[in-house]
Each structure stands twice: as C-alpha cells, then as structure tokens.
Amino acid sequence: MDESIWDAVRAARGWLDAANGAGDAELTCRILKLTEEAGEAAGAWIGVLGQNPRKGVTHTRDDVAAELADAAFTALVAIESLGGDARAALLACAEKVRSRQR
C-alpha cells in the first residue's frame, strides 16, 4: 500500500488524540465509529438497490465503495488508537485469509 495511507492513518489518530484525548471513553467512540461507517455503507447499498420505495435508487456502487473505504480507514485509525500497528494488523489479517485458501 502507498505510504501516504499509513501517514494519513497516523495523522488522523494524532488529530483525534489532540482534539479528544485518548482515554477509554474516546477509544470506545472510535470503535463505535466503525459501526456508524458500516451502517452508512449498508444504507448506500440499500440506495443502490432502491429498496426504500419512498426514496427509490439514491446511490451508486461508487458511493458504496466510498463508504466501505471510510469504514476501512476508520478501522485502521481505531487499531492505531489502541496502540497497535495498523499496517502489521492488516498484513496479519491478509496472511490469515491467504492461509485458508491454500
């Protein structure tokens, strides 16, 4: 992955730490933010399908992809906020998935 992604993750964590602190209540909010972002992705997908008859088709697949990217970025920031290394965690996850395919 491009190094700018990891720089942005660390910068976002630093910005949030400076603005909101890094206590357990703040960490809880950062983890819950992931649920919010996932909900936005789900809402966008409902919009692609036109599942809400009152609204009809309101989103595109690109909108869904953007919301999923928001969720992924939010998860990486949460990992860093917990004191983890987001890059290492993501690589370990990818390796775990790869090992299941062998």
Side-chain angles (χ1 to χ4, degrees), residues 4-70:
S4 67
I5 293 169
W6 307 112
D7 292 343
V9 167
R10 287 187 294 275
R13 184 232 172 144
W15 176 70
L16 288 168
D17 286 354
N20 300 334
D24 285 347
E26 173 61 18
L27 295 176
T28 299
C29 289
R30 292 184 200 180
I31 294 166
L32 291 174
K33 180 72 175 166
L34 178 58
T35 302
E36 178 189 9
E37 295 296 345
E40 291 176 11
W45 184 245
I46 288 168
V48 167
L49 299 177
Q51 193 63 28
N52 183 334
R54 184 174 53 82
K55 295 181 180 180
V57 174
T58 58
H59 291 76
T60 66
R61 287 175 181 256
D62 286 343
D63 294 330
V64 177
E67 295 296 349
L68 289 169
D70 286 347

